Amino acid sequence: MKVRTIKLLKKILSSSYPISIKSLSEYFNVSTRTIQNLIGEANEYLETLNYGLIKNIRGKGVFIEVSLEEKNEIVKNIFLDGYFFLEKEERELDLLLSIAFSQEPIFLNKKEKEYLVSKSTMDDDMRKLRKKLSKYDIEIISNGKHGCIFEGSERSIRMMLFDFINKEIGTVELTRKTRAQLSINQQILTKYIDDEEFEMLLNILKEFFKNMDDEMYKKQILLFTLIWVYRLRKGNSVGSMSLEKMEESNQNNEIEEYILLVIESFELEVNQIESNYLKFIIMSLNTESLDNSINWVNTQIITIGLMKYVEEVTGIPFHKKEEKLYESLYNHVSSMISRVKSGVQVFNPILESIKNNYSEIYKAVEDFVPQIESLIEVEILESEVSFLAIHFSTVYMHLREESSLIFKSVVVCNHGIATSNLLAASLRKWFPEIDVVAVIGSQDLFLINKLDADLVFSTYPIEVRDKPLLVVDPVITEDNLVPIKEFLMDNNQFGRLKINNSDYTEMFNEIISVINRNNQTVNVADYNYLKELFRNNSLKINLEEIQPMLKDKLKDNNIIMNGVVNSWEDSITMVSQPLLEEEVIAPNYVDAMINSVKEHGPYIVIGKHLALAHARPEDGANSLGISVLKLANPIEFGNEEMDPVKLVFCLAATDSYSHLNIMKELVSLINDETRLEKLAATDSKEDFKNILFEENLNN
């Protein structure tokens, strides 16, 4: 067999599901015809073994339908026939893991014999591996009788191994597979990670993190703990770390007990620095362990901005699932910021799938990410971008399930314009979801890839790239509808959302606003009556979109004009008074706001001359409320870029969503310096309200 055929066979054998010809073509960077030829050659070899052949399963891809035992026998026979060897990338991985984890010295001349390669090939492998490690500031050097070793920061070495294993092998599984189920790279890892020790650590992790729902993070914790154990075994440890602050603010007995049991089970001698280091990494990976109070406002600003941007760019109505998207995205952004700033970025094993299948969403998120990077001053890698895109993609799929789809289509006909138009009209008649965007003849085929279309219907065979094609009869009758139905079902992923405009949420909100503007209060009974009235008249409203606006909550009594204070602490105390009097917050909420700034710095200064005082809901927020203080004399909070502060808002919220509209308006305000200057300049409460609520001034 050719080397490429062996690679193809190994790829198909290592997969537990069918792989499309197109995917294989892209993976090996060859034409689909070449892939089919390679499959033919592989099948000729498989026939000699009297096992199942590679078959093309319609609509799914190619697959070898054999049992695990038979697959194992095929792997064994390939090896016995001299075909099973490590390719360049696999040799690089084996070299890396052997240097990282092996208790024996690693000498390149011995590796040459093991790999059955020449010295020049080995030198070339090492050059390429060194180049890959250079971005981590890590070098491989030959250290005499100690063989090849890594030179660089041990923390960098561990993060490099974490990143490299995730990329080259994928996430470690929470169940041990048989050898026949493992890919070649996974089999390489098993050379250096003992099966029994893997099982032992797996059982410890399952016991201590049984209440953690996120399987991905469990896998990442498992992998990093393995790296930690095996690097310690080789005598490599991190230097001193400044983790005292983390230790004080993030006590987590569960993680500490997990680490102690790992140390005991693996019989390790570990100092306090190493224990703190592993706890720090696990807390960075474990979203449930994070204390994100300092990021509460900035994370919401990022989340709101990202949601708005992606919807504007893609045109997908994510606001219809705003609550679902906001809560999941907010939690992820919060944990991501904490991890990334700590130097931990998680690899996404389905990165390429997200980029290919949700390219429009991924690109929109990718374009927004520099705004996040500028705030946290850290580069965000592709995998982290794809995790953000997954939240949007998940909501997008829910929207697709609940909405009608349309298929923008091109009709190609070589029977004249009248027949072409008849075919287009027939497609629309029988299939209203088909939106014919163009009808072209044989001389205009070059236009197909330039048109914004998803599918192609043609009356004769043509060659089309990147768009599904169905050859149909010029005249469609009931007798030939089935192939078209199947074609649409098979290509459902190309359908676009048909936006349903019969959403009366905006009308509902406007009715509420009109009542409020006329100094009337909408009580719970009236509110529920309105909802029921809309429902009974088939006027659909999205309950997730109905939250109070800034003007609904910021009443005259909550606006303090020209307050005089001596310190930033006094400004927080003063702006809190209206909410204390209304029992929206408890006294301990004020203490929590002040103590948080003392501990973390002036992070509440979120815009030019504007501070947003807040604490966590559990610190004493009784209900949703907001107040504002316009200072007579600006006060310094310690933020060189945004000081002095002229406006101080105080926000109390009991959850992560009910205040979303208020946050949207505040985000808009901090991006509007002209409006901020007008607010700071006026002494009239009425004018202040008009400017804040963006109403026209009556000069």
Side-chain angles (χ1 to χ4, degrees):
M1 286 189 291
K2 298 173 186 174
V3 171
R4 191 177 281 165
T5 306
I6 300 168
K7 290 181 179 179
L8 177 78
L9 187 52
K10 288 164 67 176
K11 176 75 174 172
I12 297 172
L13 281 169
S14 66
S15 178
S16 57
Y17 51 86
I19 310 174
S20 71
I21 296 288
K22 183 181 177 182
S23 296
L24 290 170
S25 170
E26 292 172 352
Y27 181 83
F28 290 106
N29 196 26
V30 296
S31 67
T32 55
R33 185 181 295 275
T34 299
I35 293 295
Q36 290 166 343
N37 291 337
L38 295 175
I39 290 172
E41 185 180 356
N43 277 337
E44 288 178 8
Y45 174 74
L46 291 172
E47 279 183 342
T48 66
L49 303 179
N50 295 318
Y51 284 120
L53 304 180
I54 301 171
K55 294 181 179 179
N56 195 341
I57 303 172
R58 187 184 176 199
K60 295 182 179 180
V62 293
F63 189 63
I64 300 180
E65 297 188 58
V66 291
S67 66
L68 291 178
E69 292 75 15
E70 289 172 329
K71 189 179 287 190
N72 200 21
E73 286 299 315
I74 294 172
V75 172
K76 188 187 300 181
N77 275 283
I78 294 175
F79 176 77
L80 292 174
D81 290 340
Y83 290 127
F84 199 82
F85 58 89
L86 293 182
E87 297 161 19
K88 177 175 65 65
E89 294 83 1
E90 294 161 354
R91 292 195 301 269
E92 288 177 4
L93 177 63
D94 185 80
L95 268 171
L96 185 84
L97 296 181
S98 62
I99 296 170
F101 299 140
S102 177
Q103 295 296 314
E104 301 297 325
I106 301 300
F107 299 100
L108 295 182
N109 58 346
K110 290 185 178 180
K111 282 294 183 182
E112 289 171 22
K113 295 177 182 178
E114 179 184 339
Y115 299 151
L116 300 175
V117 297
S118 65
K119 183 179 183 302
S120 62
T121 299
M122 179 58 69
D123 289 343
D124 186 55
D125 288 348
M126 286 299 295
R127 272 194 300 272
K128 290 175 179 175
L129 183 56
R130 285 187 172 109
K131 185 177 180 181
K132 289 182 179 179
L133 298 190
S134 63
K135 73 173 185 177
Y136 303 97
D137 291 326
I138 297 169
E139 178 62 276
I140 297 176
I141 62 171
S142 182
N143 190 21
K145 65 180 181 179
H146 298 292
C148 293
I149 62 171
F150 294 127
E151 185 177 69
S153 159
E154 179 61 21
R155 291 194 293 277
S156 297
I157 291 169
R158 293 181 188 181
M159 291 313 303
M160 174 273 294
L161 291 169
F162 181 74
D163 192 33
F164 211 99
I165 291 172
N166 267 317
K167 287 180 178 176
E168 300 298 326
I169 299 177
T171 53
V172 292
E173 295 299 326
L174 298 180
T175 54
R176 206 49 161 161
K177 294 181 176 181
T178 66
R179 192 167 184 80
Q181 291 176 291
L182 299 176
S183 67
I184 304 304
N185 284 352
Q186 288 171 332
Q187 291 182 39
I188 292 171
L189 181 63
T190 61
K191 289 172 59 178
Y192 303 101
I193 303 295
D194 181 78
D195 279 351
E196 290 185 4
E197 291 188 333
F198 179 93
E199 289 291 343
M200 180 170 66
L201 181 58
L202 186 58
N203 290 332
I204 295 172
L205 182 131
K206 286 181 176 178
E207 174 61 28
F208 278 91
F209 298 103
K210 58 190 174 187
N211 295 323
M212 186 193 295
D213 295 326
D214 197 324
E215 293 294 302
M216 176 64 72
Y217 284 99
K218 281 185 186 177
K219 294 175 183 179
Q220 301 292 357
I221 292 169
L222 174 64
L223 173 59
F224 203 92
T225 306
L226 284 168
I227 292 170
W228 183 74
V229 167
Y230 278 79
R231 288 299 290 171
L232 283 175
R233 282 240 184 101
K234 274 184 72 82
N236 302 103
S237 59
V238 297
S240 59
M241 295 187 69
S242 183
L243 296 176
E244 294 82 2
K245 191 170 183 180
M246 181 276 294
E247 230 180 334
E248 291 170 5
S249 60
N250 291 296
Q251 297 297 325
N252 192 307
N253 294 331
E254 185 181 48
I255 292 177
E256 290 171 1
E257 290 172 10
Y258 165 77
I259 294 171
L260 287 173
L261 186 54
V262 170
I263 293 170
E264 180 184 331
S265 301
F266 284 85
E267 300 179 349
L268 301 171
E269 293 185 7
V270 178
N271 59 34
Q272 192 60 44
I273 292 173
E274 280 289 356
S275 295
N276 287 347
Y277 169 78
L278 182 57
K279 181 172 76 169
F280 174 70
I281 295 296
I282 291 174
M283 293 179 75
S284 295
L285 292 171
N286 179 6
T287 56
E288 295 176 3
S289 299
L290 296 169
D291 177 4
N292 294 301
S293 59
I294 187 171
N295 288 322
W296 190 74
V297 168
N298 285 332
T299 302
Q300 290 186 71
I301 292 172
I302 290 170
T303 304
I304 292 168
L306 178 58
M307 289 169 59
K308 180 181 179 183
Y309 182 82
V310 174
E311 177 160 342
E312 286 177 351
V313 170
T314 63
I316 299 170
F318 289 111
H319 66 274
K320 291 181 177 292
K321 292 288 182 182
E322 191 171 69
E323 182 175 7
K324 179 181 180 66
L325 176 58
Y326 177 81
E327 290 187 351
S328 67
L329 191 61
Y330 168 81
N331 290 331
H332 183 88
V333 169
S334 185
S335 63
M336 182 192 74
I337 289 174
S338 179
R339 282 188 291 100
V340 170
K341 290 181 76 172
S342 303
V344 180
Q345 301 209 37
V346 180
F347 176 72
N348 188 347
I350 59 171
L351 166 64
E352 292 304 319
S353 177
I354 294 298
K355 290 172 71 174
N356 292 332
N357 296 318
Y358 302 98
S359 56
E360 187 180 19
I361 291 174
Y362 178 87
K363 182 65 168 59
V365 174
E366 184 181 45
D367 290 344
F368 183 86
V369 159
Q371 296 186 43
I372 307 177
E373 292 173 331
S374 67
L375 287 173
I376 64 177
E377 298 181 338
V378 179
E379 180 186 0
I380 297 174
L381 302 181
E382 277 189 327
S383 279
E384 291 288 358
V385 175
S386 68
F387 277 120
L388 293 172
I390 283 175
H391 291 276
F392 288 95
S393 303
T394 302
V395 171
Y396 173 63
M397 293 310 296
H398 286 303
L399 287 170
R400 284 176 61 90
E401 290 171 5
E402 298 173 5
S403 308
S404 301
L405 296 181
I406 59 170
F407 297 86
K408 289 189 175 292
S409 307
V410 177
V411 170
V412 182
C413 185
N414 59 351
H415 295 285
I417 191 66
T419 306
S420 302
N421 289 332
L422 175 62
L423 174 57
S426 297
L427 285 170
R428 293 189 188 102
K429 172 190 173 183
W430 292 105
F431 300 96
E433 64 268 37
I434 295 178
D435 179 14
V436 178
V437 297
V439 179
I440 63 176
S442 56
Q443 72 278 8
D444 296 321
L445 295 181
F446 69 94
L447 292 173
I448 292 176
N449 287 323
K450 296 182 179 182
L451 293 168
D452 181 24
D454 311 308
L455 308 176
V456 180
F457 295 91
S458 177
T459 59
Y460 66 103
I462 59 174
E463 189 170 329
V464 181
R465 291 179 56 192
D466 303 325
K467 286 184 173 68
L469 165 71
L470 180 67
V471 177
V472 296
D473 292 333
V475 179
I476 297 176
T477 65
E478 291 189 38
D479 296 331
N480 51 22
L481 295 179
V482 173
I484 300 176
K485 288 180 181 177
E486 292 180 348
F487 179 67
L488 294 178
M489 290 176 62
D490 290 344
N491 294 284
N492 183 265
Q493 70 272 24
F494 293 99
R496 307 188 190 192
L497 283 179
K498 182 179 181 181
I499 307 304
N500 183 2
N501 294 319
S502 58
D503 188 326
Y504 294 88
T505 308
E506 188 175 344
M507 179 189 291
F508 184 96
N509 283 331
E510 188 58 33
I511 291 172
I512 299 294
S513 297
V514 167
I515 296 172
N516 287 332
R517 280 201 296 271
N518 285 280
N519 297 318
Q520 299 295 318
T521 301
V522 180
N523 58 36
V524 174
D526 293 337
Y527 183 82
N528 289 332
Y529 172 77
L530 270 175
K531 285 198 299 183
E532 193 63 28
L533 182 65
F534 270 61
R535 186 177 296 111
N536 292 339
N537 287 277
S538 300
L539 301 179
K540 182 181 177 182
I541 58 173
N542 185 350
L543 298 180
E544 295 172 357
E545 290 188 23
I546 302 172
Q547 305 99 29
M549 306 294 287
L550 185 58
K551 60 188 175 184
D552 298 327
K553 285 293 178 181
L554 190 61
K555 304 302 181 185
D556 285 5
N557 292 339
N558 301 95
I559 302 172
I560 305 172
M561 300 297 294
N562 299 319
V564 178
V565 298
N566 296 317
S567 66
W568 64 262
E569 293 96 332
D570 290 345
S571 72
I572 293 177
T573 301
M574 181 178 286
V575 75
S576 305
Q577 287 308 306
L579 300 185
L580 278 170
E581 291 170 7
E582 295 172 0
E583 298 185 351
V584 170
I585 58 175
N588 54 305
Y589 192 84
V590 182
D591 296 334
M593 290 190 289
I594 293 173
N595 291 335
S596 185
V597 176
K598 287 181 177 178
E599 182 178 356
H600 300 297
Y603 69 96
I604 67 171
V605 182
I606 62 171
K608 197 73 172 176
H609 310 312
L610 186 149
L612 176 59
H614 62 277
R616 291 176 299 183
E618 59 267 30
D619 289 329
N622 298 323
S623 60
L624 177 62
I626 189 164
S627 57
V628 62
L629 164 65
K630 187 246 172 179
L631 292 164
N633 299 304
I635 200 80
E636 300 283 338
F637 272 69
N639 185 316
E640 293 181 6
E641 185 181 354
M642 302 295 186
D643 273 341
V645 169
K646 302 175 182 178
L647 299 172
V648 184
F649 285 86
C650 178
L651 176 65
T654 56
D655 54 41
S656 63
Y657 185 72
S658 61
H659 60 294
L660 181 55
N661 278 339
I662 293 174
M663 278 303 302
K664 285 180 181 177
E665 292 181 83
L666 291 177
V667 169
S668 175
L669 179 62
I670 64 176
N671 291 320
D672 189 344
E673 289 192 18
T674 301
R675 197 148 56 105
L676 283 172
E677 290 173 3
K678 288 180 179 179
L679 287 170
T682 186
D683 293 323
S684 162
K685 183 178 290 191
E686 198 61 35
D687 286 351
F688 187 93
K689 289 192 300 180
N690 289 335
I691 298 167
L692 184 60
F693 303 148
E694 296 185 313
E695 294 179 359
N696 294 325
L697 291 173
N698 297 316
N699 296 323

